[in-house]
Amino acid sequence: GNSGGGGGYSVEVSYMEIYCERVRDLLNPNNKNYLKVREHPVYGPYVEDLSKLVVHSHQDVERLIDEGNKARTVACTNMNEVSSRSHAIFTLILTQKAENIEKESHISLVDLAGCEKPNVSDRKDRLKEGSNIN
């Protein structure tokens, strides 16, 4: 980050998938465990143990989005060849530091799961999955 003028800033990113009401860390695909959603008394809901990676350029951001997308849950449906079956939330965390003050802002980009209407030929688990997604 920038350190001129007695302050500085940092940019971190996180990327999570919500699939059938379970949360996975897309920036740490080796962690096969589902993450827990917790409630902070001041800051509200957050995901425990979700990776936050420091980025220095838009190329870093694009690379991490691509890596995370490869880890997402996808399945073939009759409507789409490859349909995203999960919600995904990519968050930029901007931290600005000046003197004894630290401000943090979060910008979240949300990709909602496709919600194709199931037909008779679809398997029952697609219907169950659809009800969990929406």
Side-chain angles (χ1 to χ4, degrees):
N2 178 14
S3 57
Y9 65 88
S10 67
V11 181
E12 297 171 294
V13 298
S14 66
Y15 199 9
M16 75 177 96
E17 171 184 61
I18 304 168
Y19 177 68
C20 292
E21 300 181 18
R22 293 188 171 142
V23 180
R24 287 179 49 232
D25 188 342
L26 292 175
L27 297 182
N28 185 10
N30 294 330
N31 180 3
K32 300 297 182 196
N33 297 324
Y34 294 111
L35 304 180
K36 292 183 177 4
V37 177
R38 302 282 191 200
E39 183 80 22
H40 187 280
V42 175
Y43 303 113
Y46 70 98
V47 177
E48 190 176 58
D49 298 327
L50 183 64
S51 300
K52 288 183 189 173
L53 304 181
V54 175
V55 293
H56 301 285
S57 67
H58 70 277
Q59 288 95 341
D60 289 349
V61 174
E62 288 176 18
R63 180 178 50 80
L64 290 172
I65 289 174
D66 287 345
E67 284 180 19
N69 284 343
K70 288 176 190 160
R72 281 187 74 182
T73 301
V74 294
C76 291
T77 67
N78 290 338
M79 303 265 307
N80 291 319
E81 184 62 30
V82 176
S83 172
S84 170
R85 306 304 303 164
S86 64
H87 303 304
I89 304 172
F90 184 86
T91 303
L92 288 156
I93 302 121
L94 312 167
T95 306
Q96 187 177 13
K97 296 173 183 145
E99 309 279 325
N100 294 329
I101 301 170
E102 184 173 298
K103 292 182 182 177
E104 190 173 283
S105 300
H106 293 232
I107 301 169
S108 294
L109 307 174
V110 180
D111 180 17
L112 296 177
C115 55
E116 298 89 2
K117 189 174 180 182
N119 62 30
V120 178
S121 66
D122 279 333
R123 297 193 335 250
K124 286 183 182 173
D125 60 334
R126 286 280 170 269
L127 191 58
K128 182 175 185 290
E129 176 183 74
S131 69
N132 281 333
I133 288 172
N134 302 316

